[in-house]
């Protein structure tokens, strides 16, 4: 086998550092391999061991979440969570962040965030039926905020509208803590038959591995490691090629994927998200306890002379990797041709327990799979109890001098003011099943389960101010608010997904926020029997060493058995009685 | 003075419009010859009047406008002509 | 007699199912989906629906590529035979691009995608599409588009107005559309294009069922003609 | 052969994008002179390769593409260059 295509002067250890691997992590790689990795192999390690793919700082603490329940069909660990919504139907959902890309290029960053989360959902066999977004921007008068808000909102709308999935709810906050690091969390909810859920583990050796979707270009190389690295002023200059989303390709990809699944040809499937070809192939083979070989010459390529390294790390959008049942390639090609998608058989599963890549007739990567995922680093990072603000006593808060002024000040504040400008750019009605959306006066979005009297209620909640004041209580509150928003529309809350956005876990203060917020969320989830079925962690949200306010966003789904029983605050009439329930 | 600005996506950035137009020209038409169209790129063009005493001054101004507003230099590059 | 309709499906159409469901539930009829590359339409159609969405990504110009597809050549022939055709949203754009309707749809003057419920006035209720509405009736439907701003030159506009081709008008113009035009038909009266979505307003729980009246009108027209 | 197509809205058709860009440039003006930007028009530019033996043949083909697809001649006009 050949070693490397990299320029000479730097050592592999230098590259390891450049790719974000710590010296001790690199030493583990050397120990496991018993040799130096080559450039491609190092690239594969660096993305698989990035915070984004390995959850190395958060994994220990995520274990505290309750993840099972009567209605849980599939909890965390797959592309998305799956819950039972009766009558043989399932709801599949997840939330994911696209924070760093959205700061660098707001439109494309937000758009590709929406695209990515939809793929996580339809890759499991669900048709996406609702989108939500949770946005945190800097102060309104910060010089960058206006451009970022406009770009992010246009990007979310531009992508979701074109694909044809209604964006029915969300939340938007402004805070100086996000001036240099905005948060864009997108959630997708889909519907599937409970007995037709697709998973990513390769089931047996000797099966064809099929690539389909858009071609691979040099987009966003090292996005996964970058999204796990702290921001500095000059990272705006050093940005990698930005990924551009093609929602039209995504729409075709949804239809083709669902059609392919219906033919019965699919044995396993996974979208190519962050670290595209690397994470999808490693995870599919690894989960199945198998091995995989890929011939990179077969990968559909958009640009000339792409190296193995570039192909393995490209984050080109709108791509899928499927493992087909024996001899079913023709079914695949028929579907791909109908929808005009690029596709190729690029490899095969085997029993080697390794990932072996060939390019231009040479083996360019030959790694055992286990160290890439199972043995990925796991950190019990030191943490300190976060400083909490003292509890506010009602008696200590002076009554406003003028109630009218106080009310006006409140409703005109950036967080409380109407977000109409924003959600009027989102198609909230496509699919013709929307019962409640951002405009209708309900605490949660609601979409009909097509063709039934059932409806799904969806909401996204977090009040970063509270979490900053007290991570434990703020974490609890986010879960509780999501629960209340669902019950307030008449739905039975079923389960949540979450998006944990924090600063650097290497700082004990921040790690303390992470730990305590998770403790609070887990506590609320247990008390409310509200399991966590999927989620995403986004760390290193910092600019020049200053962390964002801790922001553990909660996305929740509830079920209405009969949507005629739904409730809202849109039908209030003069003379009705107001009841205050709770403390 | 008349200014003309062309804005294209940088090489390597996926040009979704170009891709779609190429597909349409190649595939939709029944007319002979369109199938041979390739390497389609779609960009923006802006024409406007700008007050300046010299071409160099105008060019510098327009470049500044491009950097600040007319182009998204993260993914786009531009060319400026003044006359 | 059973009402028979076809809904076209282009790559990127996303209201195709909505249109099918709206027509089926409003008329009790049968709806076939027709692929953009098909070179024949089902026989005996009472209605062809060109649905909303982003055909071919709406890249280049909304509706431009779809207007050149094989199936649109068949739609043009069917329209010439007198079959009723409705284009909704992207469908309206496609009908203009294919020359079945005059004028063009440009970027909204807000330069933004606008999604909101819209109040319309039924300007012409003497059509196959609108005979179920009362003269001048106010109806509500939602709208969602970035390019719904109808333009035509002065002569064309005069002709459109003079012939009673304006079928729906906005009560409050959301996008700069000429003469507040929201829906427009050809001179023969069998091809209608409109930006608001009757296919999202066919049941009360969707916020309005005013759109169902349109499909029911078409059913009645078909019954009377039969 | 290389083709270049410019598509602009016809005079008389309100160019809302051009107007918005003009407003933004005028408003953003921190530098003397931006305020003086006027008559902004925003159009599209397409560049592509086309197989043809002579420039005239190429031009004829591209014009055909413009009439049928690349421009909507109800509201737009175009110019074609080949080289
Ligand atoms: N980013 C967004 N995307 C979609 N809808 C949003 C977004 N931000 C706010 N909304 C919608 O605006 C409405 C008001 O938002 P919010 O003030 O957060 O309400 P509440 O406190 O009642 O949840 C809600 O219906 C919410 O879904």
């Amino acid at each position: 086998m050949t070693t490397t295509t990299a320029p000479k002067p730097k050592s592999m250890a230098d590259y390891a550092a450049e790719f974000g691997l710590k010296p001790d992590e690199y030493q583990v790689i050397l120990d496991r391999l018993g040799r130096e990795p080559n450039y491609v192999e190092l690239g594969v390690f660096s993305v698989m061991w990035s915070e984004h793919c390995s959850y190395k700082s958060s994994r220990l603490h995520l274990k505290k979440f309750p993840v099972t329940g009567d209605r849980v069909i599939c909890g965390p660990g797959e592309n998305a969570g799956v819950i039972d919504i009766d009558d043989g139907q399932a709801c599949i959902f997840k939330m994911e962040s696209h924070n760093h890309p959205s700061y660098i290029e707001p439109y494309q960053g937000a758009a590709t965030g929406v695209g990515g989360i939809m793929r996580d959902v339809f890759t499991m066999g669900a048709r996406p039926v609702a989108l939500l977004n949770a946005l945190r921007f800097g102060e309104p008068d910060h010089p960058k905020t206006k451009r970022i808000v406009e770009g992010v909102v246009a990007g979310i709308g531009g992508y979701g509208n074109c694909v044809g999935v209604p964006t029915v709810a969300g939340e938007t906050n402004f805070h100086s803590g996000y001036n240099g690091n905005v948060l864009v969390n997108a959630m997708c909810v889909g519907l599937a038959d409970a007995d037709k859920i697709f998973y990513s583990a390769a089931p047996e050796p000797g099966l064809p591995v099929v690539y389909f979707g858009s071609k691979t270009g040099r987009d966003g190389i090292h996005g996964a490691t970058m999204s796990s690295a702290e921001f500095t002023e000059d990272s705006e200059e050093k940005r990698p090629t930005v990924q551009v989303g093609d929602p039209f390709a995504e729409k075709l990809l949804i239809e083709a994927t669902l059609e392919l699944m219906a033919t019965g040809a699919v044995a396993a499937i996974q979208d190519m998200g962050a670290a595209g070809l690397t994470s999808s192939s490693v995870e599919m083979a690894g989960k199945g306890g198998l091995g995989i070989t890929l011939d990179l010459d077969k990968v559909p390529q958009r640009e000339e002379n792409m190296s193995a390294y570039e192909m393995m790390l490209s984050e080109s959008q709108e791509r899928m990797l499927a493992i087909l049942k024996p001899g079913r390639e023709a079914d695949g090609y028929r579907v791909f041709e109908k929808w005009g998608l690029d596709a190729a058989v690029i490899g095969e599963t085997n029993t080697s327990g390794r990932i072996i890549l060939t390019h231009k007739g040479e083996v360019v990567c030959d790694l055992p799979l286990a160290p890439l995922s199972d043995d990925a680093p796991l950190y019990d990072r030191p943490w300190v109890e976060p400083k909490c603000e003292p509890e506010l006593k009602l008696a200590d808060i002076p009554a406003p001098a003028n109630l009218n002024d106080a009310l006006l000040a409140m409703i005109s504040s950036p967080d409380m003011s109407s977000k109409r400008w924003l959600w009027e750019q989102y198609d909230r009605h496509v699919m013709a099943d929307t019962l409640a959306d951002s405009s209708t006066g309900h605490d949660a979005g609601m979409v009909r389960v097509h063709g039934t009297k059932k409806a799904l209620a969806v909401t996204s909640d977090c009040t970063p101010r509270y979490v900053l004041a007290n991570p434990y209580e703020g974490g609890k509150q986010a879960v509780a608010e999501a629960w209340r928003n669902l019950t307030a529309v008449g739905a039975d809350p079923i389960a949540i997904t979450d998006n944990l956005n924090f600063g650097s876990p290497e700082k004990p203060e921040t790690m303390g926020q992470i730990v305590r917020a998770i403790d609070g969320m887990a506590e609320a989830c247990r008390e409310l029997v509200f399991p966590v079925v999927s989620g995403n962690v986004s760390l290193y949200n910092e600019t020049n060493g200053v962390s964002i306010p801790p922001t553990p966003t909660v996305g929740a789904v509830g079920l209405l058995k009969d949507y005629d029983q739904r409730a809202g605050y849109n039908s209030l009439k003069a003379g009705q009685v107001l009841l205050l329930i709770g403390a | 003075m008349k200014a003309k600005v062309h804005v294209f996506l940088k090489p390597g950035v996926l040009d979704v419009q170009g891709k779609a137009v190429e597909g349409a020209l190649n595939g939709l038409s029944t007319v002979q010859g369109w199938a041979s169209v390739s390497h389609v790129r779609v960009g923006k063009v802006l024409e406007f009047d700008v007050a300046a005493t010299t071409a160099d001054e105008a060019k510098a101004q327009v470049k500044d406008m491009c950097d600040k507003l007319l182009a998204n230099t993260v993914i786009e590059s531009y060319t400026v002509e003044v006359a | 007699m059973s009402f028979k309709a076809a809904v076209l499906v282009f790559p990127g159409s996303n209201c195709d199912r909505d249109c099918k469901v709206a027509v089926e539930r409003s008329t009790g009829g049968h709806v076939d989906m027709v692929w953009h590359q098909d070179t024949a339409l089902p026989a005996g159609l009472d209605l062809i629906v060109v649905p909303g969405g982003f055909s071919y990504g709406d890249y280049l110009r909304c509706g431009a590529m779809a207007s050149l597809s094989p199936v649109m050549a068949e739609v043009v022939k069917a329209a010439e035979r007198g079959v009723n055709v409705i284009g909704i949203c992207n469908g309206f754009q496609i009908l203009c691009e294919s020359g079945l309707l005059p004028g063009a749809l440009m970027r909204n003057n807000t330069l933004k995608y606008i999604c909101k419920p819209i109040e319309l006035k039924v300007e012409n209720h003497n059509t196959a599409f609108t005979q179920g509405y009362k003269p001048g009736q106010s109806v509500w439907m939602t709208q969602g588009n970035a390019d719904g701003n109808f333009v035509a030159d002065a002569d064309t506009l005069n002709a459109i107005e003079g012939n009673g081709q304006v079928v729906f008008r906005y009560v409050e113009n959301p996008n700069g559309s000429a003469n507040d035009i929201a829906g427009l038909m050809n001179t023969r009266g069998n091809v209608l294009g409109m930006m608001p979505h009757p296919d999202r307003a066919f049941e009360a729980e969707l916020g309005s069922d005013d759109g169902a009246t349109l499909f029911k009108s078409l059913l009645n027209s078909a019954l009377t003609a039969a």
Side-chain angles (χ1 to χ4, degrees), chain A, chain B, chain C:
Chain A
M1 76 177 265
T2 56
T3 39
T4 163
T5 48
K8 268 295 119 188
K10 285 186 190 167
S11 71
M12 275 304 139
D14 294 335
Y15 284 117
E18 212 168 273
F19 293 174
L21 289 162
K22 299 273 145 72
D24 53 332
E25 292 175 342
Y26 183 61
Q27 189 55 50
V28 177
I29 296 176
L30 293 177
D31 295 346
R32 294 286 151 83
L33 293 186
R35 63 173 168 88
E36 214 176 49
N38 67 29
Y39 194 69
V40 179
E41 293 170 337
L42 190 65
V44 170
F45 265 105
S46 72
V47 291
M48 289 311 297
W49 285 15
S50 69
E51 195 67 57
H52 191 88
C53 292
S54 74
Y55 292 88
K56 57 193 172 191
S57 303
S58 57
R59 219 153 76 213
L60 267 182
H61 301 282
L62 294 176
K63 288 193 180 132
K64 297 172 193 162
F65 287 139
V67 297
T68 55
D70 291 349
R71 286 187 178 273
V72 177
I73 297 175
C74 173
E78 276 293 332
N79 286 300
V82 186
I83 56 172
D84 183 348
I85 55 163
D86 300 335
D87 314 307
Q89 292 183 301
C91 170
I92 302 185
F93 64 100
K94 185 169 187 265
M95 186 183 268
E96 195 157 78
S97 64
H98 230 209
N99 302 337
H100 289 79
S102 299
Y103 183 74
I104 293 171
E105 206 321 86
Y107 185 98
Q108 294 297 343
T112 52
V114 174
I117 192 59
M118 277 197 270
R119 284 193 295 283
D120 275 335
V121 165
F122 70 77
T123 198
M124 295 195 72
R127 178 171 286 281
V129 297
L131 290 167
L132 297 88
N133 60 101
L135 310 177
R136 323 284 166 186
F137 298 113
E139 295 162 294
D141 45 17
H142 185 274
K144 284 210 162 132
T145 300
K146 183 164 184 271
R147 209 192 103 247
I148 293 182
V149 172
E150 281 179 356
V152 164
V153 171
I156 290 173
Y159 206 97
N161 298 349
C162 179
V163 171
V165 179
T167 300
V168 296
E171 49 175 345
T172 311
N173 294 128
F174 298 86
H175 188 287
S176 60
Y178 304 110
N179 280 352
N181 196 315
V182 299
L183 301 184
V184 174
N185 296 171
M187 174 171 164
C188 178
V189 182
L191 280 173
D193 288 342
D195 61 351
K196 293 197 193 76
I197 312 274
F198 289 81
Y199 297 97
S200 54
E204 54 181 277
L207 299 180
V209 178
V210 179
Y211 167 123
F212 67 101
S214 299
K215 291 188 170 73
T216 294
R218 293 189 173 93
D219 317 58
I221 294 186
H222 265 303
T225 47
M226 183 190 74
S227 69
S228 310
E230 193 186 319
F231 246 27
T232 54
E233 291 281 325
D234 69 14
S235 50
E236 273 184 74
E237 301 309 317
K238 283 193 291 199
R239 54 205 149 207
T241 318
V242 169
Q243 314 146 28
V244 170
D246 181 355
F248 172 56
E250 179 98 341
K251 169 70 177 165
L252 304 182
L253 203 55
I254 295 181
E255 300 305 332
T257 302
L258 297 179
E259 207 166 298
L260 179 66
M261 288 167 167
T263 67
V266 177
I269 185 165
Q270 162 124 26
D271 68 298
M272 293 191 224
L277 204 45
T278 296
S279 61
S280 53
S281 56
V282 166
E283 281 170 23
M284 290 174 91
K287 279 184 187 165
L290 296 171
I292 191 166
T293 54
L294 300 181
D295 178 357
L296 297 181
D297 298 317
K298 303 244 168 72
V299 171
Q301 294 159 48
R302 196 174 82 225
E303 295 174 67
E304 277 156 30
N305 299 320
M306 289 192 66
S307 69
Y309 173 85
E310 288 170 329
M311 278 187 260
M312 290 311 285
L313 271 77
S314 163
E315 300 202 339
S316 290
Q317 301 290 298
E318 294 94 21
R319 300 179 300 160
M320 307 287 283
L321 200 63
I323 295 175
L324 298 186
K325 292 181 186 160
R328 300 298 292 270
E329 290 92 329
D331 287 307
Y333 284 122
R334 200 176 317 117
V335 173
F336 305 139
E337 193 172 321
K338 172 179 169 191
W339 292 101
L341 298 175
D342 280 297
V345 174
I346 63 165
E348 201 181 48
T349 58
N350 55 44
T351 54
S352 66
R354 308 179 73 83
I355 173 168
I356 299 169
L357 308 174
T358 57
H359 185 222
K360 296 194 196 297
E362 290 175 355
V363 173
V364 292
C365 166
D366 183 350
L367 293 175
L369 286 166
L372 287 172
S373 43
D374 305 354
D375 294 356
L378 178 61
Y379 295 127
D380 188 358
R381 303 245 189 226
W383 61 278
V384 295
E385 194 63 46
K387 285 190 212 78
C388 293
E389 287 170 27
E391 201 178 319
L392 289 176
K393 298 268 178 290
L394 208 52
D396 299 341
I397 304 170
N402 180 322
L403 282 175
N404 281 340
D405 290 349
L407 186 65
L408 285 176
M410 263 169 64
I411 62 177
S412 60
S413 70
D415 280 8
M416 299 272 279
S417 63
S418 167
K419 306 298 183 301
R420 169 187 292 269
W421 174 85
L422 179 157
W423 46 248
E424 264 190 3
Q425 297 180 55
Y426 300 156
D427 188 340
R428 308 182 305 280
H429 309 118
V430 62
M431 300 190 95
D433 278 314
T434 302
L435 298 173
D437 63 66
S438 308
S439 69
T440 55
H442 294 82
D443 285 307
M446 272 183 278
V447 292
R448 301 191 291 200
V449 176
H450 191 71
T452 74
K453 285 301 275 186
K454 293 186 291 190
L456 296 172
V458 294
T459 180
S460 125
D461 295 284
C462 177
T463 311
R465 212 155 43 83
Y466 294 167
V467 192
L468 185 61
N470 185 326
Y472 178 77
E473 292 298 330
K476 272 203 316 201
Q477 192 275 340
V479 174
E481 184 176 349
W483 170 276
R484 285 197 302 271
N485 280 334
L486 296 181
T487 50
V489 296
D492 277 334
I494 298 183
I496 70 168
T497 180
D498 66 73
N499 204 140
L500 306 177
N501 309 274
F502 292 91
S504 167
E506 292 166 44
K507 292 180 186 154
E509 259 292 320
T510 306
M511 198 59 216
Q513 292 176 331
I514 298 173
V515 172
R516 297 301 284 151
I518 290 177
D519 285 342
M521 294 168 76
E523 162 91 22
C525 287
R526 271 192 307 273
E527 281 302 312
L528 296 167
V529 196
F530 205 20
V532 179
V533 295
S534 59
N536 176 244
V537 178
S538 170
L539 304 180
Y540 298 96
N541 289 291
E542 306 205 336
T543 307
N544 298 330
V546 183
S547 155
I548 56 156
T551 314
T553 312
V554 172
V557 175
L559 178 67
L560 289 95
K561 292 198 168 127
D562 176 3
Y563 58 69
D564 287 339
Q565 305 298 319
R566 70 191 185 280
Y569 52 85
N570 56 342
S571 50
L572 298 184
K573 291 185 188 67
Q576 289 176 326
V577 176
L578 288 180
L579 273 183
L580 178 64
I581 307 175
Chain B
M1 237 164 257
K2 298 243 173 263
K4 191 171 197 162
V5 174
H6 281 91
V7 183
F8 279 101
L9 287 167
K10 288 182 180 168
V13 177
L14 173 67
D15 179 359
V16 291
Q17 291 215 62
K19 201 175 90 175
V21 171
E22 185 164 326
L25 285 174
N26 293 166
L28 283 175
S29 114
T30 45
V31 183
Q32 272 293 322
W34 290 22
S36 67
V37 168
S38 63
H39 297 99
V40 180
R41 296 166 68 216
V42 179
K44 246 187 335 210
V45 52
L46 295 104
E47 288 184 354
F48 50 91
D49 294 342
V50 54
T53 39
T54 69
D56 281 352
E57 190 197 315
K59 206 157 181 170
Q61 275 187 32
V62 175
K63 277 194 169 156
D64 195 29
M65 293 175 204
C66 287
D67 288 328
K68 294 215 172 81
L69 181 77
L70 303 181
N72 175 353
T73 52
V74 178
I75 49 176
E76 294 172 331
S77 59
Y78 60 85
T79 57
V80 172
E81 296 159 52
V82 288
Chain C
M1 170 257 168
S2 163
F3 190 73
K4 211 170 159 207
V7 174
L8 308 188
V9 184
F10 299 97
S13 292
N14 63 28
C15 305
D16 42 336
R17 188 195 73 181
D18 308 6
C19 288
K20 176 180 163 73
V21 173
V23 172
E24 284 173 350
R25 294 199 190 158
S26 308
T27 68
H30 174 82
V31 179
D32 282 318
M33 307 305 273
V34 179
W35 188 235
H36 67 124
Q37 280 170 337
D38 287 357
T39 49
L41 292 164
L45 289 177
D46 298 303
L47 174 68
I48 298 167
V49 186
V50 191
F54 289 70
S55 55
Y56 302 90
D58 269 356
Y59 295 130
L60 187 66
R61 220 173 42 248
C62 300
M65 298 185 204
S67 73
L68 293 182
S69 63
V71 77
M72 278 310 296
E74 298 308 308
V75 172
V76 170
K77 285 186 220 154
E80 281 164 4
R81 288 196 307 271
V83 178
N84 287 331
V85 179
I86 181 171
I88 302 165
C89 197
N90 193 221
F92 186 8
Q93 294 159 345
I94 295 169
L95 294 180
C96 287
E97 284 282 345
S98 69
L100 281 172
L101 290 174
L105 290 146
M106 283 198 358
R107 184 53 47 97
N108 293 336
N109 66 357
T110 61
L111 292 174
K112 289 197 163 51
Y113 186 97
I114 309 170
C115 172
K116 63 175 178 190
I118 292 262
E119 185 181 9
L120 306 171
K121 193 169 152 228
V122 179
E123 198 69 19
N124 183 344
H125 70 285
N126 282 318
T127 81
F129 302 89
T130 51
Q131 48 154 292
Y133 296 105
K134 291 189 222 37
Q137 186 179 334
S138 148
V139 298
W140 283 87
M141 293 176 199
T142 66
Q143 167 145 317
N145 63 67
D147 301 80
N149 177 355
F150 181 79
V151 284
D153 60 42
D155 290 346
T156 309
L157 276 178
N158 283 338
I160 289 170
E161 293 289 353
N163 298 332
Q165 284 172 257
V166 179
V167 179
F168 294 104
R169 236 187 267 277
Y170 296 114
V171 173
E172 264 178 66
N173 192 329
N175 55 18
S177 198
N179 294 8
D180 304 325
I181 290 171
L184 170 80
M185 64 180 185
N186 62 352
T187 44
R188 182 171 174 175
N190 69 322
V191 178
L192 171 71
M194 61 192 295
M195 286 321 288
H197 282 275
D199 53 321
R200 299 179 185 181
F202 56 89
E203 280 163 346
E205 62 256 31
L206 298 175
S208 164
D209 58 3
D210 287 341
T213 309
L214 186 148
F215 299 114
K216 291 193 168 107
S217 300
L218 285 159
L219 171 64
N220 284 331
S221 310
L223 289 173
T224 345

